Amino acid sequence: MCGGCRNRGRCRLGLGEITIIGDAAHAPVRCAPHFQAGPNVAHGGWTAAMFDDIIGRSLTQRGLRTVTGNLTVDFFNPVPVGEAMIVEVVTESRAGRRWTMQAMLRLERDPSPLARAIGVWVERREGHFERHEAAMRDYRAR
Ligand SMILES: CCCCCCCC(=O)SCCNC(=O)CCNC(=O)[C@H](O)C(C)(C)COP(=O)(O)OP(=O)(O)OC[C@H]1O[C@@H](n2cnc3c(N)ncnc32)[C@H](O)[C@@H]1OP(=O)(O)O
């Protein structure tokens, strides 16, 4: 679970446990009603956040300490609210610290993709968060 939900013990995005199989992964997801945009349709930002979290956590579960470098989402069909869906993640390639990842979102019982994400995750250098904290301290002191 991400830092925002860990203390609550519940993923507010509605994302389930990730199963890792080699360099691929899958997870059950369900868009909660508070992320509704159009009638019974998920906000596109939910779909992007869901992909970001699932791909990032799948890498974390593989022992890789990464952050999202970039993320592109293709929206093929409206994503329903409250419906059981599956996200499938594959590793496209690795070059140095850069991992190119792809993921698909589909209904639990239908193979057609609703949305696809492709992006680059970058392995963090040691002290990543400490440098960020220090930069913010400097900024606030200005
Ligand atoms: C457990 C909960 C999991 C939840 C998952 C959620 C994931 C997230 O949302 S993370 C938050 C969003 N992302 C961020 O905040 C990242 C902000 N960016 C940064 O901190 C830095 O730009 C960072 C770490 C990506 C790169 O900085 P730095 O470590 O100095 O690396 P740098 O030397 O510039 O680049 C390293 C490599 O990455 C590549 N790279 C850097 N930035 C990007 C980018 N935006 N896109 C693609 N590639 C990139 C570089 O080209 C370089 O490649 P190569 O080694 O082949 O030359």
Side-chain angles (χ1 to χ4, degrees), residues 12-16 28-32 46 80-85 108:
R12 284 171 294 172
L13 286 173
L15 316 183
V29 301
R30 192 187 293 263
C31 178
W46 176 84
V81 168
E83 203 70 45
M85 297 180 284
E108 194 178 57

Side-chain angles (χ1 to χ4, degrees), residues 50-72:
M50 174 279 295
F51 277 132
D52 187 30
D53 188 89
I54 295 280
I55 296 173
R57 279 197 294 127
S58 74
L59 289 165
T60 304
Q61 281 186 215
R62 290 166 61 186
L64 297 159
R65 294 141 58 95
T66 62
V67 284
T68 316
N70 62 48
L71 175 64
T72 299

Side-chain angles (χ1 to χ4, degrees), residues 1 10 15 20 24 32 35 39 47 56-57 66 74 77 84 109 129 133 139:
M1 223 173 282
R10 181 177 69 85
L15 316 183
I20 306 288
F35 290 110
T47 305
R57 279 197 294 127
T66 62
D74 290 307
N77 273 300
R109 290 179 285 102
F129 293 111
E133 286 299 331
Y139 165 76

Side-chain angles (χ1 to χ4, degrees), residues 2 52-53 56-57 67-70 97-98 120 122 125 128:
C2 76
D52 187 30
D53 188 89
R57 279 197 294 127
V67 284
T68 316
N70 62 48
R97 287 160 55 208
R98 283 183 295 126
V120 173
V122 180
R125 284 186 287 121
H128 171 84

